[in-house]
Amino acid sequence: MLEPALRVRGLKKQYPGVLAVAGVDLDVARGEVFGLLGPNGAGKTTTLEIIEGLTEADAGAIEVLGLDWKRHGTEIRSRIGVQLQSTSLFNKITPREALTLYGGYYPKSRTADELLELVQLKDKADAYHITLSGGQMQRLALAMALVNDPELVFLDEPTTGLDPQARRSLWEVVRRIKAEGRTVILTTHYMDEAEALCDRLAIMDHGRVLTTGTPAELIAQLAIPSVVELSFEGAAPAVDGFDARIGAAVEVRGDLWEIPTPDPKSLLPRLLEAAEAAAIPYQQVHVRRATLEDVFLHKTGRSLRD
Amino acid sequence: MLLWRQFLMEWKLYARDRAAMFWTFAFPVLMLLGFGLIFKGGDTPKLSVVWVQPAQAQAKDEALLKALAQFPTRLLPMSPAEAEARWSRGETAVQVEPTAEGFRMKVNSYLVAQGQMTAQVVQQAFLVSQSQLRGQPMPTLIPVSMESPGHAKSANYAAFLLPGLLGMNLMSMGLFAVGMVNVSYREKGKFRRLAVTPLPKWIFLLGQVLHRLTVTLIQTVFLLLIGRFVFGIVNEGSYLLLTLVMVLGTACFMAMGFALSSFAETSETYAAISNLLFFPMMFLSGVYFTLDAAPKWLQQAVIVLPLSPFLKALRAVFNDGDGLAGHAVGLVVVAVWAALCFGLAVKRFRWA
């Protein structure tokens, strides 16, 4: 039986004026895609950088692939692959050169051609990296994280700042990495990305893990599989006793009223009738199933985007 | 093997940054051309004397001018108004003004070395002219010559300057170029990507030192070639010893730059602390003035700084064609600095 990919207990990191990581426990099994989901400033990147050996923790125990940083630092480094949140390379290096150069730092490495094929960057293989687009740069960073044929791959916000098409193509690469049998740990503040990619998730806020599970489990925990949304032109009005009329909680978020419900079919007729009677000036009605966004909202009272 | 690849990649990336490379090589060459042209003129620099033209030149005036012409002086005749203007701008070292009876001479206290020398020459010319006027036999004069102590083979200032320029270039490359580049790379996060690989720090650092070492050696070759073919300055000593001293010096100042860069978080801080080190080393090295007047402890402290022993050894080889026999202690000082700084640099080096 192989050791787990990652085991973290009681991780803490204090920065001047802010407790960035406030006691984090994580377990990641081999072969899974594990996500750290949370808003900016939740402590995801700090947690990841401590695990990657870039930052030293104030307290806590970490085992990476069953190994300890203090005694096996070099071995851990040669068996993990890391994509930093922003990868800054020397100005005039080409993707092919960067992959060959970095591959040379490891005991075993994959060829530049193979990796460029994997991340679909063959046509830019010999261009200076400063001429790459954001999406191409992220794919190069991903290829660099795979250069040593790693067992465990860390991706820090791999799709932040990318357009939808570039994001989809990056997701495709992440799925291929998983299909190759590697373990992936990624951070993201996009709930659709977490749902699309992750086998299991830890939702983080204020340096703590709020809850852990598969996306389906986390949503099921809510016991409110659906959400009915009324949209308004401009800011939504105050609820003002309307929740009592329909016998369900109403949450005001931006230009929406959100009404979580286990049974939208029976709620809808009551809701529309009451809205008509109270002359609520809504524009549209929308029924959707609950998402990780709702889980986060439920746990913190805030939206991921706030 | 890894070190070799790192070294090659450093060169490859460096060679692509054409502008930076151009200036690295052009700057010391331009310095040499500039200084060389200023100081090229013969063995002894001419001493300038401002001559205030009298309304009516007398015989004594003519006699002095004639006598002055036999000395290595450059006479600048001008009207009283022009002379006054030049004097108040501080450009005149010595000014001679004929009066009804004799002459009046003013010496600029700010240009004291050149002024005293010139004043001596004017005094001697005056004695010569007086003897001529009176038809007396020529007075016996003390011959005065300008020489560079300990460098008999290259009295030419440009020849004396060249090793100094090589040393200065090394120190500024090490402290400013190398250290600054490292700090700014760290600031921009370019080292973080390396930090997550198993690449040992010392290989990365040594690769950089070797790269800069070869850059400096190429610069040196340029300077020597220009010195040789433009100014006729020849290396009097062995090229093997010259290379040895240069390599040691380069290693020392590069390592110093690396070590220093580990003490600064930002480029701004680095600029401040590198200047803090650069200028004392430059002034206390004994290159610009002797430290006879400085307190004893300072004179002793200065002996352990690397620039002065390095330049002494370099000049011994380059200007005098000597061996390094008398410079063992000095070279050990340089080598110890190099080793200590490299050790410190590896120990303190942070990727992020």
Side-chain angles (χ1 to χ4, degrees), chain B residues 9-344:
Chain B
M9 186 52 78
E10 288 279 347
W11 254 109
K12 208 165 170 182
L13 297 181
Y14 180 70
R16 281 181 194 161
D17 198 347
R18 297 273 157 72
M21 192 164 76
F22 174 78
W23 285 111
T24 309
F25 290 114
F27 183 69
V29 167
L30 290 176
M31 287 269 284
L32 178 64
L33 285 176
F35 280 117
L37 286 176
I38 293 171
F39 295 110
K40 195 183 175 187
D43 298 320
T44 321
K46 291 266 198 270
L47 302 165
S48 302
V49 179
V50 168
W51 176 259
V52 183
Q53 284 172 320
Q56 196 93 60
Q58 301 176 28
K60 69 169 173 65
D61 304 340
E62 300 291 351
L64 180 59
L65 284 180
K66 209 172 129 199
L68 270 174
Q70 295 163 16
F71 289 89
T73 52
R74 192 160 61 101
L75 211 59
L76 304 168
M78 51 185 74
S79 72
E82 282 174 327
E84 181 54 35
R86 194 175 191 276
W87 177 264
S88 38
R89 284 199 303 271
E91 291 166 10
T92 302
V94 168
Q95 171 178 319
V96 179
E97 185 181 354
T99 58
E101 260 77 72
F103 300 95
R104 189 161 58 216
M105 177 158 64
K106 286 203 282 189
V107 180
N108 184 340
S109 69
Y110 296 128
L111 302 173
V112 67
Q114 199 188 344
Q116 277 179 348
M117 176 83 187
T118 313
Q120 292 280 346
V121 169
V122 174
Q123 292 286 4
Q124 293 207 359
F126 175 70
L127 292 180
V128 171
S129 68
Q130 290 294 304
S131 308
Q132 275 177 341
L133 273 180
R134 293 174 192 150
Q136 288 169 350
M138 280 293 159
T140 314
L141 299 177
I142 302 171
V144 177
S145 67
M146 255 170 75
E147 280 175 16
S148 312
H151 303 288
K153 286 189 187 167
S154 42
N156 183 331
Y157 188 67
F160 178 74
L161 194 78
L162 187 68
L165 210 56
L166 291 176
M168 215 45 136
N169 187 41
L170 275 194
M171 197 163 85
S172 73
M173 271 283 283
L175 289 190
F176 298 140
V178 171
M180 189 60 110
V181 163
N182 255 29
V183 172
S184 83
Y185 277 178
R186 192 172 53 224
E187 222 180 351
K188 290 178 192 154
K190 293 194 189 210
F191 289 157
R192 283 167 62 84
R193 190 60 192 76
L194 289 167
V196 296
T197 73
L199 176 71
K201 289 174 190 173
W202 71 268
I203 289 198
F204 174 74
L205 283 175
L206 198 58
Q208 292 215 326
V209 170
L210 287 179
H211 165 243
R212 307 295 205 271
L213 193 70
T214 44
V215 169
T216 317
L217 289 180
I218 293 171
Q219 279 181 329
T220 307
V221 170
F222 272 158
L223 286 178
L224 290 179
L225 285 176
I226 289 177
R228 166 113 203 204
F229 291 108
V230 179
F231 299 108
I233 304 167
V234 192
N235 172 23
E236 303 286 346
S238 124
Y239 279 94
L240 182 69
L241 291 183
L242 186 72
T243 312
L244 201 75
V245 175
M246 282 302 290
V247 167
L248 190 63
T250 311
C252 173
F253 291 111
M254 302 293 127
M256 202 179 271
F258 279 120
L260 203 61
S261 70
S262 70
F263 290 92
E265 297 288 337
T266 65
S267 322
E268 288 81 4
T269 321
Y270 185 78
I273 60 176
S274 60
N275 276 312
L276 208 63
L277 207 68
F278 184 84
F279 287 102
M281 285 219 287
M282 191 169 88
F283 288 125
L284 296 180
S285 67
V287 179
Y288 291 89
F289 48 82
T290 66
L291 292 167
D292 294 345
K296 259 272 171 325
W297 64 266
L298 187 61
Q299 291 188 31
Q300 277 156 359
V302 157
I303 295 172
V304 301
L305 290 179
L307 184 61
S308 170
F310 166 70
L311 284 181
K312 276 188 185 138
L314 193 63
R315 288 207 162 111
V317 174
F318 188 87
N319 292 127
D320 301 340
D322 284 348
L324 293 173
H327 297 274
V329 176
L331 291 176
V332 166
V333 167
V334 179
V336 166
W337 270 96
L340 282 183
C341 286
F342 190 72
L344 189 68

Side-chain angles (χ1 to χ4, degrees), chain A residues 32-78:
Chain A
E32 66 178 352
V33 176
F34 186 88
L36 289 173
L37 176 68
N40 290 326
K44 307 185 299 284
T45 295
T46 307
T47 303
L48 208 61
E49 288 187 348
I50 294 170
I51 298 169
E52 292 162 354
L54 274 173
T55 305
E56 207 149 334
D58 296 334
I62 306 168
E63 269 176 38
V64 183
L65 302 166
L67 301 169
D68 174 61
W69 267 112
K70 285 214 175 58
R71 280 175 300 153
H72 309 286
T74 309
E75 191 184 344
I76 296 178
R77 284 200 177 91
S78 56

Side-chain angles (χ1 to χ4, degrees), chain A residues 157-226:
Chain A
E157 309 223 337
T159 64
T160 297
L162 300 187
D163 60 58
Q165 200 191 341
R167 292 181 68 200
R168 305 246 160 218
S169 94
L170 213 96
W171 288 0
E172 211 34 64
V173 181
V174 174
R175 291 196 184 102
R176 252 181 267 169
I177 296 172
K178 177 186 157 70
E180 287 172 340
R182 299 172 211 284
T183 310
V184 178
I185 297 177
L186 62 85
T187 67
T188 182
H189 59 262
Y190 298 121
M191 52 120 195
D192 59 334
E193 183 162 291
E195 272 195 272
L197 289 180
C198 297
D199 300 316
R200 283 198 317 122
L201 284 172
I203 296 185
M204 281 190 77
D205 195 30
H206 297 306
R208 289 174 201 285
V209 173
L210 302 177
T211 177
T212 311
T214 68
E217 279 168 7
L218 293 177
I219 293 165
Q221 278 171 15
L222 279 180
I224 41 157
S226 299

Side-chain angles (χ1 to χ4, degrees), chain A:
Chain A
M1 178 64 198
L2 277 172
E3 319 80 15
L6 180 69
R7 203 182 119 90
V8 172
R9 290 291 175 271
L11 202 63
K12 280 191 184 149
K13 179 71 185 177
Q14 172 81 49
Y15 283 123
V18 58
L19 188 57
V21 182
V24 163
D25 298 345
L26 294 171
D27 286 282
V28 180
R30 295 266 183 164
E32 66 178 352
V33 176
F34 186 88
L36 289 173
L37 176 68
N40 290 326
K44 307 185 299 284
T45 295
T46 307
T47 303
L48 208 61
E49 288 187 348
I50 294 170
I51 298 169
E52 292 162 354
L54 274 173
T55 305
E56 207 149 334
D58 296 334
I62 306 168
E63 269 176 38
V64 183
L65 302 166
L67 301 169
D68 174 61
W69 267 112
K70 285 214 175 58
R71 280 175 300 153
H72 309 286
T74 309
E75 191 184 344
I76 296 178
R77 284 200 177 91
S78 56
R79 285 167 65 184
I80 64 172
V82 175
Q83 181 196 25
L84 299 171
Q85 202 170 93
S86 69
T87 299
S88 172
L89 295 172
F90 298 93
N91 286 343
K92 292 192 173 172
I93 197 167
T94 69
R96 191 194 300 281
E97 285 169 346
L99 290 170
T100 312
L101 179 70
Y102 281 77
Y105 299 154
Y106 293 92
K108 67 174 173 179
S109 62
R110 304 171 77 180
T111 67
D113 280 323
E114 188 189 341
L115 291 164
L116 289 166
E117 179 78 53
L118 178 74
V119 300
Q120 297 155 9
L121 212 56
K122 278 213 124 162
D123 48 333
K124 285 283 185 178
D126 299 308
Y128 289 156
H129 94 276
I130 34 177
T131 66
L132 301 185
S133 70
Q136 289 166 337
M137 191 56 226
Q138 285 297 66
R139 275 182 286 159
L140 172 59
L142 202 55
M144 288 174 66
L146 298 173
V147 75
N148 56 330
D149 196 15
E151 294 160 55
L152 173 58
V153 183
F154 295 94
L155 310 176
D156 196 358
E157 309 223 337
T159 64
T160 297
L162 300 187
D163 60 58
Q165 200 191 341
R167 292 181 68 200
R168 305 246 160 218
S169 94
L170 213 96
W171 288 0
E172 211 34 64
V173 181
V174 174
R175 291 196 184 102
R176 252 181 267 169
I177 296 172
K178 177 186 157 70
E180 287 172 340
R182 299 172 211 284
T183 310
V184 178
I185 297 177
L186 62 85
T187 67
T188 182
H189 59 262
Y190 298 121
M191 52 120 195
D192 59 334
E193 183 162 291
E195 272 195 272
L197 289 180
C198 297
D199 300 316
R200 283 198 317 122
L201 284 172
I203 296 185
M204 281 190 77
D205 195 30
H206 297 306
R208 289 174 201 285
V209 173
L210 302 177
T211 177
T212 311
T214 68
E217 279 168 7
L218 293 177
I219 293 165
Q221 278 171 15
L222 279 180
I224 41 157
S226 299
V227 177
V228 178
E229 294 176 347
L230 294 189
S231 66
F232 295 87
E233 188 144 314
V239 176
D240 207 13
F242 188 74
D243 45 353
R245 286 182 165 214
I246 57 167
V250 176
E251 284 154 16
V252 183
R253 287 179 60 198
D255 60 351
L256 292 178
W257 276 2
E258 290 194 344
I259 307 157
T261 173
D263 186 7
K265 201 175 159 191
S266 74
L267 173 70
L268 266 175
R270 260 186 296 144
L271 172 66
L272 295 180
E273 201 180 319
E276 192 70 46
I280 302 294
Y282 68 92
Q283 300 274 309
Q284 282 184 14
V285 183
H286 183 65
V287 185
R288 61 171 175 83
R289 84 189 170 84
T291 65
L292 289 170
E293 181 86 36
D294 299 300
V295 176
F296 186 80
L297 186 73
H298 181 74
K299 291 276 179 192
T300 66
R302 294 187 296 122
S303 157
L304 265 175
R305 286 179 296 252
D306 286 348

